[in-house]
Amino acid sequence: MNRLGWNLREAAALRRRASLLLGWDRGQIWIAAMLLLLGIFMLLPLIYIFNHALKPYSELFIFPPNILVMDPTWANFTELFVVTRDSAIPASRYMFNSIAIAVIATLAVTIVSALCAYPLAKHKFPGANALFFVIIVSLMFVPETMQIPRYVVVSSLGITNTFWAHILPHVAAPVSVFLMKQFMDQVPNELIEAAKLDGAREAMIFLRIVMPVCMPAVATVAILQFQNIWGNTETSILFTTDDSMKTFPYFLQTLTQNLANSVARQGAAAAASLVMIVPTLLVFLVFQRKVIATMAHSGIK
Amino acid sequence: MPIKMRLFAAAQEIWRYRLSYLFIAPFVISFGIFIFIPVLAAMGLSFTAFNGMEAPRWVGWKHYEYLFSQDSLFLQYALPNTVKFAVIVGPGGYIASFVLAWLLAQLPDRARLWYVLAFYAPSLAGGVAMSIIWIPLLSGDRIGYLNSFLLGIGFIDEPRLWVLDKKYLMNSMISVTLWSSMGIGFLAMLAGILNVDKTLHEAGRVDGIRSRLQEVWLITIPSMKPQMLFAAVMAIVGAFKAGHIGVELSGQNPTPQYAGHLLVNHVEDYGLIRFEMGYASAVSVVLLVIIFLANRLSWKLFGAKEDEA
């Protein structure tokens, strides 16, 4: 038996043991191994953000930068809180605004989009095609040029400097309606007909049949919208003038503006980028898990 | 009275669907106020000279005439750059999203979550990723990662200015965008693939489907058509609406010799820097038309029959 033959046999044995250990089949192990390197490369920004926030000043400025921290410290977080102590409005207020807005607006978008997507997918009411067309075309318009008209709308509604100004502009999300409608298209009509024969009302069909089957779409919309609303500074810049009504990302932006060429507060900026990403990361993990878990159980198709 | 009859029938039809209208009402109202009216207003502004402060002044088609006859930045750089960028990034990102989503769907549930996180990470990290991964990697001096690697293996003799030379900037922009293209379409396709009924695959196997490739083509893709359509529209829209990437990579606005000047940069240049909102609106209307036509073309190619935009 030559060397190669032995190696092959050993490798096969190893693979068998690995698949027994994890309960994966061979195809899955191959794919996982193939994607591992690529995955690590894609994951770099997150790894970097976590390490960057823990770097002391001596490591923050190395070029080209180190991904991993060598001498971790909490100093950047203390700096972030020291910087925020001097401002007239405590950082906790911005944090409260942001969390309240992101949670309420995400909930609102998800509910409103689902409500709208259901008739679009399942009732052929007069005007449905026109509405769907308008929704899709609206995705294509450059938002920058809408800023002034949007400001005029918000100010003539008289909601500047209120939570409404932060929440209402997000409620209509064409992307979310589009995504949910595409998923609801897949719910079999027979299922809905059967429920109707059993005497279910529309509200019942929507809540008990359509929504559970479309949980993956709901979770995906929640991830996307939370990410979008949490990081949004536009409503703070355009629709509020009162500092106590602004949001955390806006506040961080003022902290970290013009930092490209300065040394001061780079530590705070590094810590701030971690603070910004952690909530979106958590929301992603919770809801993406839901996408995967729902799939495993949904057999209605 | 046939007209009266028809009106009556239409009213009856609408009344029959009153519940549907109730369902869509919250969306339609907020959509109308915060999106539809502003978009219409912006389209209207494209026929005016408007600087954001004084009242708009009607100029008719003048902006459009200027755009297509005299605006050399638009004709020479913004338009060709955008088309080149979108033609590569749109389909490229779309295919990459599907392939990755499919591969990830083959993994067991527990591992899948972490892999999905890894591939979605660039979208999650947003702009931060750009400045910390790609700028040092593509840095034009000897210690930039890519330069030092290529110098090390003897592929090039002197450092290249990856993001400052107009020869390379566009290609750098395309590679970076493809890397971070696992966004919304990717999540939708992943959910779509996982949603495909498992019994269909078994039925396929009984009916003589042998290879995985055949299975993808004959079962997976047809049964997730709605998600494929969603991802395609988002890929086209995203590719044409990209604009910050060149500025972020090169650190200059406008980009060196306008090599990375895209239509959205053109809109921002006029709208937010020169305060010529009327002209910026005209450019964004043109962009809207281009995206719309691109969508039409792609659906003609794929042969989708209904629901297209």
Side-chain angles (χ1 to χ4, degrees), chain B residues 118-173:
Chain B
F119 287 100
Y120 192 66
S123 312
L124 213 52
V128 186
M130 214 63 70
S131 49
I132 54 193
I133 306 293
W134 290 97
I135 290 171
L137 185 71
L138 296 173
S139 164
D141 46 21
R142 257 163 206 288
I143 54 173
Y145 287 130
L146 187 60
N147 274 332
S148 65
F149 173 72
L150 291 178
L151 285 169
I153 61 167
F155 194 73
I156 52 174
D157 330 313
E158 55 183 31
R160 303 271 165 92
L161 297 168
W162 297 111
V163 292
L164 293 175
D165 192 327
K166 66 170 181 164
K167 262 194 300 188
Y168 305 119
L169 176 61
M170 182 53 98
N171 294 334
S172 304
M173 284 162 60

Side-chain angles (χ1 to χ4, degrees), chain A residues 75-146:
Chain A
N76 294 333
F77 292 93
T78 21
E79 190 189 336
L80 181 65
F81 287 106
V82 169
V83 169
T84 59
R85 211 170 39 199
D86 312 331
S87 55
I89 291 160
S92 54
R93 168 78 203 196
Y94 294 115
M95 205 64 188
F96 168 78
N97 287 352
S98 258
I99 292 175
I101 289 163
V103 170
I104 296 172
T106 306
L107 261 176
V109 176
T110 320
I111 294 170
V112 167
S113 311
L115 279 177
C116 180
Y118 171 56
L120 275 179
K122 288 298 165 201
H123 305 164
K124 286 293 147 217
F125 61 91
N129 288 336
L131 177 64
F132 190 55
F133 182 77
V134 170
I135 288 175
I136 294 197
V137 171
S138 75
L139 286 173
M140 303 172 185
F141 200 75
V142 188
E144 277 82 1
T145 39
M146 274 163 59

Side-chain angles (χ1 to χ4, degrees), chain A residues 144-152 155 238, chain B residues 41-42 45-46 48-57 63 270-281:
Chain A
E144 277 82 1
T145 39
M146 274 163 59
Q147 278 182 0
I148 290 178
R150 266 188 135 182
Y151 170 77
V152 173
S155 75
L238 291 178
Chain B
L45 284 178
S46 71
T48 65
F50 181 48
N51 58 14
M53 280 155 268
E54 296 161 51
R57 184 166 46 79
H63 287 320
Y270 277 94
L272 307 179
I273 298 172
R274 304 188 204 195
F275 287 109
E276 293 183 30
M277 284 311 294
Y279 194 70
S281 302

Side-chain angles (χ1 to χ4, degrees), chain A residues 67-78:
Chain A
I67 303 263
L68 298 179
V69 55
M70 285 180 290
D71 186 13
T73 162
W74 292 106
N76 294 333
F77 292 93
T78 21

Side-chain angles (χ1 to χ4, degrees), chain A residues 24 28 32 42 48 65 119 123 126 136 139-142 144-145 150 175 182-183 186 202 227 284 292 295 301, chain B residues 19-21 34 106 108 115 118 120 123 132 145 179 184 191 197 223 226-227 229 241 268 284 287 295 309:
Chain A
W24 298 8
Q28 290 176 324
M42 303 290 273
Y48 184 91
H123 305 164
I136 294 197
L139 286 173
M140 303 172 185
F141 200 75
V142 188
E144 277 82 1
T145 39
R150 266 188 135 182
V175 182
Q182 295 305 90
F183 270 84
Q186 291 182 320
E202 285 289 349
Q227 203 182 328
F284 178 84
I292 289 164
M295 301 302 179
K301 292 238 302 192
Chain B
L19 202 62
S20 311
Y21 293 111
F34 291 101
Q106 309 306 310
Y115 275 94
Y120 192 66
S123 312
I132 54 193
Y145 287 130
W179 169 78
I184 173 169
D197 194 348
S223 40
Q227 286 85 9
L229 185 115
K241 273 167 77 172
E268 286 188 349
S284 47
L287 181 57
N295 266 310

Side-chain angles (χ1 to χ4, degrees), chain B residues 198-213:
Chain B
K198 293 218 162 50
T199 54
L200 270 180
H201 290 274
E202 280 156 30
R205 232 160 278 149
V206 173
D207 284 346
I209 286 181
R210 252 169 254 115
S211 71
R212 281 277 175 94
L213 215 59

